[in-house]
């Protein structure tokens, strides 16, 4: 189905028509602006005269970046709504306040977090965000625990698996993450200096591991996962904000999949931020902080799962099982993390961490990402925990003629 | 929903009302008899004056064995219909001819295979059935390949996963196979002589593996599996019948699960047959034939998957992936096989292979099953293939005073 699209002129009447929003904003005094990149969705911020505001998100029926030649069902907002429903139930403080789905118009209404930053933007700017990595680890733990057989009955989980199917969006991930970067495909692009590095990825040993991880993505229906939990899907709080340091958004890829996929998306994107900081010679304390993010997220995830395990529903799942489960989730995360980093260098959707660097630095950072990511994918079975995670593999020569510029990190797009 | 139940007096009018059966049997000259154990379903054979016949299967709204205190949705016949739909599409010669589902009445109409034998009954009688183990291996391969991402698009598979959810029946398996045998539960029973053997199963190392296999059953949505593929769910052909030696039936547990679960059910039930034959001192050639069934099924499965692999849809899944996938399916099968054997000794649903033995032989066979099954579960990661499958572990003393009776094996119930 295709529904009529909102624009800045029609949003006030739309909000006025929703009685459930009467207490949230004053529909008679709204100012509306369109925000967001508009690639997949329309996003509006509506602010009333008292300064109260909400965000409206409506799915577009195609990928605007590519054009109407890439149609995309507006039904993906139903998947996003399922994601928010689960997040509100299991990790309510770690997502924007959610005012529900209007299924007829394919519109979600959410808390306006314009005063917060997108985490990737903060990372690009060299800003440290204490607690954010911990909070997203807790987010993954709480949603995974609550939506899986760790925290719910198997009947409820099986019903939720059926209700949460999201084939069209999963297919995008399957193609962009697991397939296209490893073959000749028009979606791919990279700096010419990286030719050898990219082509080196196409050997049988690595491709076997990529296939194993793809199959795991396709078949491991463990929990309702976010499905695209990179640093661009996380808001970080302005300094001094009470409560959590991070909130997760953009849940339209939500589906029942492997818990390690979300954690891997974070690990892979931390790797991009690390590579950027390294080639920019960011201050040592900042680089050290970035190097610790993977452990911060994992430790928070593991601790939260262990805390909740005391109340787990199915006593046939033993404490020994939990230990083995955590090991497997961690290994999955490392493998998926490697692939999520590689796709950002080679595939369709680039990341500002690297794209906003100058050419030689960009190539050096990208090379470091590819080399490191590969060790993650192929070595994941031997990585017991964050302390053993293969470190960033910087090329021997980054840019010998480059001035140290840690005083002027770039702000990404 | 509960629908009116058929009985022998109403079946003719029911068949007469179905135009699609007019060419199959003559509804005006039918003789009807009720067959089957009637625990979960009504099963009728309707035969016309010309000797043509069909089977009708209607689901009961409760477990008759236990009574109306154990209600069970008649919707499970919808799962069975999905199973037959898939089998007809992917392995049509290896199931009874299927005349479709009457959703309003919860009735399936199937080929009458009364002239065939239930495989377990033949095994209990000491009858060898050449080719049956091979054919069920091919059945699992064809349905698994066709309903999984090996043979279908991921979108189709994800949609099928959603459509094939079967929580109520899966829950029965979860409880009876993976939970109850390992705790004190009123469903359990065993010969007093086995007390030590049964209680020995309740140690942490084994329970961790049971938990891992339960979680795999709960989350590995690989293919539409049969869900209860023991030797009582297989018909074997009378000698000289052209075509396949086996056909699979009773698909009401069908769901998207691990491919190794069906293969494991077969392995576990072959183990029961082997233990029976051993304590009965069956002829060496018969025992050798039974000992080869696991390999016969596995080899047929593997060969069929490899044959079909030439046409597999997703080229991101490499040949190396296939090898790893087969290893994993085999290991799963060995583990699930062990648990399926154990539940038949300890849990609610016993098997005639052991139940029709006299007391001391029954205990000896049961002990052999428990000991062997345990080596399967705990050693499955080290078993490369059927040649390495730990052999039947017979107790040192079976029944020293027993006369050799291989000339008079029992026929099971």
């Amino acid at each position: 189905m295709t529904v009529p699209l909102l624009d800045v002129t029609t949003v006030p009447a739309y909000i006025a028509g929703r009685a459930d929003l009467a207490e949230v904003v004053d529909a008679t005094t709204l100012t509306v602006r369109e925000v967001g990149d508009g690639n997949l969705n329309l996003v509006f911020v509506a602010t009333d005269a008292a300064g109260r505001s909400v965000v409206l998100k409506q799915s577009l029926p195609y990928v605007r970046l590519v054009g109407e030649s890439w149609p995309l069902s507006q039904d993906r907002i139903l998947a996003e709504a399922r994601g928010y429903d689960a997040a509100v139930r299991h990790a309510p403080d770690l997502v924007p306040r959610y005012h529900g789905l209007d299924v007829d118009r394919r519109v979600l209404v959410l808390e306006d977090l314009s005063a917060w930053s997108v985490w990737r933007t903060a990372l690009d700017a060299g800003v440290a965000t204490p607690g954010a990595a911990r909070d997203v680890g807790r987010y993954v733990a709480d949603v995974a625990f609550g939506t899986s057989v760790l925290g719910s009955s198997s009947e409820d989980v099986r019903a939720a698996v059926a209700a949460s199917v999201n084939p069209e969006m999963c297919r995008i991930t399957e193609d962009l993450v697991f397939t296209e970067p490893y073959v000749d495909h028009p979606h791919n692009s990279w700096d010419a200096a990286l030719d050898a590095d990219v082509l080196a990825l196409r050997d049988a040993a690595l491709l076997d591991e990529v296939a194993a991880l793809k199959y795991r993505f396709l078949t491991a229906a463990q929990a309702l996962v976010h499905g695209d939990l990179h640093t661009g899907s996380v808001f970080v709080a302005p300094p001094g904000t009470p409560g959590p340091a991070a909130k997760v958004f953009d849940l339209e890829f939500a589906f029942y999949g492997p818990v390690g996929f979300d954690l891997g998306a974070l690990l892979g994107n931390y790797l991009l931020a690390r590579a950027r900081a390294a080639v920019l010679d960011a201050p040592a304390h900042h680089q050290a902080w970035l190097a610790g993010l993977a452990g911060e997220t994992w430790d928070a995830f593991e601790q939260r799962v262990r805390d909740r395990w005391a109340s787990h529903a199915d006593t046939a799942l033993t404490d020994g099982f939990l230990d083995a489960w955590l090991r497997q989730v961690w290994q999955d995360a490392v493998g998926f993390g490697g692939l999520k980093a590689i796709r950002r260098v080679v595939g369709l959707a680039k990341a500002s961490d690297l794209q906003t660097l100058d050419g030689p630095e960009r190539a050096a950072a990208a090379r470091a990402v590819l080399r490191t990511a590969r060790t993650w994918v192929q070595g994941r079975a031997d990585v017991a925990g964050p302390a053993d995670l293969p470190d960033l593999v910087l090329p021997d020569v980054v840019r010998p003629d480059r001035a140290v510029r840690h005083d002027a990190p770039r702000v990404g797009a």
Side-chain angles (χ1 to χ4, degrees), chain A residues 40-407:
Chain A
L40 292 178
N41 303 288
L42 295 171
V43 183
F44 303 94
V45 177
T47 308
D48 69 15
R52 299 178 305 171
S53 57
V54 288
V55 163
L56 288 80
K57 179 172 182 176
Q58 184 179 39
S59 47
L60 284 167
Y62 53 85
V63 180
R64 190 188 281 179
L65 173 70
V66 177
E68 303 200 10
S69 64
W70 189 341
L72 203 58
S73 166
Q74 289 177 284
D75 289 355
R76 65 188 182 280
I77 211 156
L78 309 183
E80 179 149 20
R82 290 190 295 266
Y84 277 116
D85 285 337
V88 165
R89 205 157 51 246
H90 302 296
D93 61 326
L94 296 174
V95 286
R97 266 194 305 282
Y98 172 54
H99 300 288
L101 168 71
D102 175 351
V103 65
D104 292 335
R105 293 295 297 273
R106 298 296 197 256
V107 170
L108 299 177
V109 182
L110 297 157
E111 179 181 11
D112 173 25
L113 292 176
S114 302
W116 294 42
S117 303
V118 172
W119 198 10
R120 192 188 304 284
T121 308
L123 291 168
D124 286 349
V127 176
T129 54
R134 174 201 64 206
D135 287 348
V136 292
R138 178 162 69 83
Y139 169 86
V140 176
D142 278 340
V143 177
F145 198 92
T147 62
S148 74
V149 295
L150 277 59
S152 286
S153 78
S154 68
E155 292 97 326
D156 288 349
V157 172
R158 290 192 186 278
V161 168
S164 305
V165 67
N166 196 4
E168 190 182 35
M169 300 304 280
C170 285
R171 179 59 189 258
I172 293 174
T173 302
E174 291 156 27
D175 290 344
L176 297 191
V177 176
F178 297 101
T179 302
E180 295 174 5
Y182 306 94
V183 296
D184 286 328
H185 194 283
H187 282 166
N188 295 334
S189 62
W190 57 80
D191 288 335
L194 295 173
D195 276 355
D197 303 85
V198 171
L199 296 176
L201 300 174
R202 302 183 184 175
D203 77 63
L206 182 62
L207 296 186
D208 286 350
E209 299 303 327
V210 175
L213 287 161
K214 181 174 188 178
Y215 188 73
R216 199 142 174 79
F217 179 84
L218 290 165
T219 61
Q222 297 183 337
L224 188 69
V225 301
H226 180 288
D228 195 30
L229 189 50
H230 54 75
T231 53
S233 299
V234 176
F235 285 117
V236 289
T241 306
K247 295 194 181 199
V248 168
F249 68 105
D250 264 0
L251 292 144
E252 63 200 340
F253 284 86
F255 78 111
Y256 263 80
V259 172
F261 190 70
D262 282 353
L263 295 165
L266 293 165
L267 265 51
N269 281 272
Y270 298 160
L271 179 60
L272 299 176
R274 281 200 70 193
R276 173 189 178 86
V279 302
L280 289 179
D281 276 342
H285 63 86
H286 188 70
Q287 293 199 47
W289 175 76
L290 290 169
L293 293 181
E296 190 178 334
T297 291
W298 174 258
D299 292 345
F301 170 82
E302 176 173 358
Q303 189 57 53
R304 187 68 167 185
V305 169
R306 289 193 182 282
D307 288 348
R308 301 199 55 181
W309 184 249
S311 69
H312 80 281
D314 182 350
T315 53
L317 300 180
T318 60
D319 292 349
F321 161 80
L322 176 63
D323 293 337
W325 183 83
L326 286 164
R327 278 195 299 277
Q328 182 64 57
V329 170
W330 167 253
Q331 287 178 11
D332 286 349
V334 173
F336 288 128
L339 301 190
K340 294 284 270 183
I342 290 170
R343 64 82 60 107
R344 293 292 192 172
V345 175
V346 178
L348 177 67
K350 301 291 194 281
S352 60
D353 317 56
L354 304 186
Q355 293 308 104
T356 58
L357 295 171
D358 282 342
E361 286 157 343
R362 186 168 66 227
R367 183 168 290 129
V369 166
L370 295 182
R371 292 181 182 185
T372 313
R374 182 171 185 149
T375 67
W376 290 9
V377 174
Q378 293 188 275
R380 68 190 187 283
D382 303 317
V383 184
D388 301 321
L389 188 65
D391 201 12
L392 184 68
V393 184
L394 272 177
D396 293 337
V397 179
V398 172
R399 189 181 167 186
D401 60 332
R402 180 171 58 73
V404 172
R405 299 194 316 189
H406 64 257
D407 54 339

